[in-house]
Amino acid sequence: MDRHVSCAGFGSLQSIPMSAVRLLVDRLCAEELIDSVGGPGPTVGAPVVMLRAAGATQARRLQALRANAAERTRHAARAILHWSHANTHRQPLRISGFLDSPDVFFLGEALSRSEVARALTYLAAEGLIICEGPPFHHDVGSHVALTSQGVEAVLAGATDLGAYVAQQREYRRPTQHTHIEARTIEHLTQGDSDHSVHTAIEMHTALPPAGLARLIAELAPALDLDPESFAALQRSLDALAGGGGPDDEPPPDRQRGLMEGIRRMLGSAPDTVGRQLLLDAVGQALGRLLGG
């Protein structure tokens, strides 16, 4: 602040014409981040500017962002995807072309080879690109080609690539996975010795709503529910099962309501291992339904 700075060096460093620098200066002046010394008008020579208080605050924020390793890697991954998509007509691409492109800059500073290689490794591991050929950096290949999933990520306009990848991974899971585990401990005394006997029941299943309903229906007769509660539970199970196929499932909000009602009815049954198994199954199915 209170210092006059010529923009000539900025234009040279960024390899942009002075006409573009003037447009940028006009934009920053309009946002009251800088002042142009001498006022607008002349098109000869580089503008001279002075930083305002709001501009200094913004500059410090951008400096901190530019030094953030995670933000730099996120930018590198997005930039590589978009650069690859813009050149799909000549894939596979040499990653050296990315280093020579404007996309390699993050807030005015070029990404390093190691940062680009880290982003390539991430994108390849998530199936968004194929990275092969001669080494680019350590064991990372230098030839890059988009996969169909990579194209989908670009077309989806994902700004948070990590969140997009996690969401797509969840969508690709073929069905709900329920892990149920119940343990009981019984203490036996023989003479002067005490022994603990551990009984474990462990189930690994992949249950859609209809499968969950069938599992509960099979074990429900042993829960010792009164006739009225048993009949109410059966009605809820029939509604949850729908027609038995994926296309017949109730909508998610309806599934959630049915599962919560079933959990309450199971909770009123006597405390047994079977009841705990079913409560765990419903709880995990609800967690998956809610994205947990």
Side-chain angles (χ1 to χ4, degrees):
M1 295 172 61
D2 299 327
R3 178 184 172 192
H4 295 176
V5 179
S6 171
C7 295
F10 173 78
S12 176
L13 180 65
Q14 299 297 324
S15 300
I16 56 178
M18 197 52 57
S19 58
V21 173
R22 293 191 190 93
L23 289 174
L24 182 58
V25 167
D26 290 343
R27 173 68 179 274
L28 294 176
C29 285
E31 295 181 1
E32 300 184 344
L33 298 177
I34 63 172
D35 284 324
S36 180
V37 180
T43 58
V44 178
V48 176
V49 300
M50 184 176 67
L51 198 61
R52 301 185 67 171
T57 300
Q58 180 74 337
R60 285 191 290 270
R61 187 188 73 82
L62 293 176
Q63 284 178 334
L65 192 62
R66 189 168 63 178
N68 187 306
E71 288 294 338
R72 294 175 71 90
T73 301
R74 279 192 282 268
H75 169 80
R78 288 194 304 268
I80 290 169
L81 276 187
H82 285 271
W83 171 77
S84 300
H85 187 260
N87 296 278
T88 49
H89 58 286
R90 54 188 183 90
Q91 292 195 0
L93 300 162
R94 292 182 181 274
I95 196 61
S96 56
F98 175 77
L99 296 179
D100 294 332
S101 75
D103 301 286
V104 77
F105 288 94
F106 176 58
L107 298 178
E109 184 174 271
L111 299 165
S112 68
R113 291 177 69 91
S114 61
E115 288 173 323
V116 173
R118 191 179 306 121
L120 289 172
T121 301
Y122 168 73
L123 293 171
E126 295 297 341
L128 301 178
I129 64 171
I130 297 171
C131 189
E132 298 175 334
F136 160 67
H137 185 75
H138 297 313
D139 58 346
V140 179
S142 58
H143 294 171
V144 178
L146 277 180
T147 64
S148 59
Q149 293 179 36
V151 173
E152 289 174 4
V154 174
L155 296 181
T159 55
D160 188 338
L161 196 57
Y164 174 84
V165 166
Q167 183 185 61
Q168 294 304 307
R169 189 186 300 126
E170 184 69 20
Y171 287 161
R172 286 194 295 271
R173 292 189 183 185
T175 186
Q176 295 178 330
H177 294 272
T178 304
H179 171 80
I180 309 167
E181 181 176 316
R183 296 181 182 274
T184 60
I185 302 176
E186 298 176 4
H187 296 281
L188 303 178
T189 302
Q190 294 181 339
D192 296 329
S193 302
D194 288 334
H195 303 276
S196 294
V197 179
H198 296 257
T199 304
I201 301 175
E202 191 169 291
M203 299 172 59
H204 296 269
T205 58
L207 296 177
L212 179 63
R214 285 194 297 271
L215 173 65
I216 298 173
E218 289 173 6
L219 297 182
L223 296 179
D224 198 22
L225 290 167
D226 62 76
E228 184 178 348
S229 298
F230 183 82
L233 176 62
Q234 190 61 57
R235 287 193 296 271
S236 295
L237 295 174
D238 291 341
L240 182 63
D247 296 334
D248 302 316
E249 292 177 357
D253 287 346
R254 176 64 171 153
Q255 288 182 35
R256 176 182 176 183
L258 288 168
M259 288 183 191
E260 288 176 342
I262 290 169
R263 183 163 61 175
R264 285 194 297 270
M265 285 184 273
L266 292 174
S268 67
D271 188 9
T272 63
V273 171
R275 186 196 74 154
Q276 189 58 47
L277 281 172
L278 297 181
L279 284 173
D280 289 345
V282 175
Q284 291 174 50
L286 272 171
R288 175 59 57 80
L289 188 64
L290 297 174

